[in-house]
Amino acid sequence: MELISQKVTHIRFGEGFIVNKTDNRIGIHFSDPIGLKVFVFPDAFVQYLWMEDHNVQEYVINQYYQNQKKIEAEKQRQHQLQEEEEERQMADEMASKATTRKAAALKRKALKRKT
């Protein structure tokens, strides 16, 4: 959806117009002396900004919730990977200890045979 030139209202700066947008930033020009301000997109629309066009506002809010779902899914994926890595490390440690114990037992047996 095209957001450039859309009219917005900021809770403190008043009315302005969107002049540029990247994936996660949005530039809004307010009347002088405020001028251009850059906000995190779409997060700012949950707290500080709202669109004059209700359909566009709904679109922006939906973008926010989609981003939040992606962030949460990535956090869960990272948590799962961390747990799997910890389990692998624990299994490696246990295997290493078992190998060390086995080697020590074989050494004791060999010493007993010599005596």
Side-chain angles (χ1 to χ4, degrees), residues 76-103:
Q76 288 177 355
R77 188 181 77 79
Q78 289 296 329
H79 181 71
Q80 181 67 31
L81 289 173
Q82 183 179 358
E83 284 182 346
E84 289 171 3
E85 179 61 24
E86 288 171 0
E87 288 174 7
R88 259 192 304 279
Q89 287 176 352
M90 196 180 303
D92 288 348
E93 286 177 25
M94 304 258 307
S96 176
K97 286 179 183 178
T99 302
T100 302
R101 282 193 299 264
K102 196 180 249 186

Side-chain angles (χ1 to χ4, degrees), residues 27-95:
I28 300 174
H29 188 271
F30 297 97
S31 61
D32 289 331
I34 299 165
L36 180 67
K37 295 286 183 182
V38 178
F39 300 92
V40 175
F41 178 83
D43 303 34
F45 285 92
V46 176
Q47 298 177 5
Y48 312 109
L49 295 165
W50 61 93
M51 305 293 264
E52 183 176 83
D53 183 326
H54 296 291
N55 292 328
V56 179
Q57 176 72 20
E58 187 175 316
Y59 165 79
V60 170
I61 296 301
N62 284 336
Q63 290 292 306
Y64 171 79
Y65 286 116
Q66 286 176 8
N67 286 356
Q68 293 304 307
K69 285 179 185 177
K70 287 178 188 175
I71 290 168
E72 186 58 35
E74 180 60 21
K75 282 181 183 177
Q76 288 177 355
R77 188 181 77 79
Q78 289 296 329
H79 181 71
Q80 181 67 31
L81 289 173
Q82 183 179 358
E83 284 182 346
E84 289 171 3
E85 179 61 24
E86 288 171 0
E87 288 174 7
R88 259 192 304 279
Q89 287 176 352
M90 196 180 303
D92 288 348
E93 286 177 25
M94 304 258 307

